[in-house]
Amino acid sequence: MITKNTDGLLDALKTAQEKQDYESVAKYYLQLGKEYRKKGMTAKALYYLNRFDNLVGGMDSLYDKFAKKDDQVCEWIEELEEEHTPYEKTIQEQVLEKAEDLSTPQKLQWLLLTMSRFCRLFTYTSLFPEFEVFGELEKIVSYFTNGFYGELEESAKEDIEEEILDFDDGTDEVFDSILMSDYTKKVEIPEQESFVPADLEGGDGTFFFGAAVYVLSHFIFDEVDEDDIKMEFAACGLMTDYYYRTSDTDVADEPKIKEETGRIFSDYEFVKSNPDAASFRNRIAAYKKIMLV
């Protein structure tokens, strides 16, 4: 029987996640979302309701069982977001507004700077079985950086384009799989809660990551349709789902969130100044060393 006690629900959820009992995981996500909604804890409610929607929507067997409840959850999510815009979406809206002042290359540089900050986290994540492709990100970022300045060897372009396509396909396959709900895969972080792959989904991060890879690749090897540029990715390094999951502190007050918010808008000023190749490369190199959580 599902208890109404929040701590009890969290313990039961953890057990279900460790057992990879996804039907029970879905039930506990829903119960936690409802409990936090009743308590007026909007950020927590949205986190668990979104986790429920993502999990149920990604598995046909679960969707068949929870379809009506998922419809209700989607209504709750819409209502809650109208009442209180999540922090990451507020920053995404600010990014979209500022991006209107940028040229296409400047927009793509902004996205690439954000992508470079995922390199260290992806390297750790690549140690999990079936996540090996994530370890290619640092090299992919280097290809994009070289491509911006016409420094890809002509004879190697075809092979590089194929590598980027394989990386894009590989990460998309993982993002669309049940692997993203596997909480037995943990990156241990000293003196704080572990990171799990699902934390990447904050602010629709996995969708916008794929969109960024797509437009950066097209910019280098073909041409970019302006409508394909999803600037929201510039704010996806906030990793808010990690903090919604592990902390009761308002995410806007989390030190790492403050740091990343500062970097997001610092990058805007940086690309707007039309940096030279050396300055851009130096920033990319520094960002590759950052741990986002």
Side-chain angles (χ1 to χ4, degrees), residues 87 91 238 256-266:
Y87 182 81
I91 301 301
L238 290 167
K256 283 280 192 179
I257 294 285
K258 290 180 178 180
E259 288 177 16
E260 180 61 12
T261 302
R263 285 189 289 258
I264 290 166
F265 296 113
S266 173

Side-chain angles (χ1 to χ4, degrees), residues 110-153:
W110 196 0
L111 296 181
L112 181 55
L113 287 165
T114 300
M115 186 177 291
S116 67
R117 295 198 289 276
F118 281 81
C119 287
R120 189 175 176 194
L121 185 58
F122 270 38
T123 297
Y124 285 116
T125 306
S126 72
L127 300 177
F128 302 143
E130 299 183 79
F131 282 80
E132 291 85 357
V133 67
F134 282 55
E136 299 294 309
L137 179 59
E138 186 169 348
K139 181 169 63 173
I140 299 301
V141 167
S142 294
Y143 287 152
F144 288 148
T145 305
N146 291 338
F148 260 104
Y149 298 102
E151 296 178 9
L152 292 176
E153 292 184 21

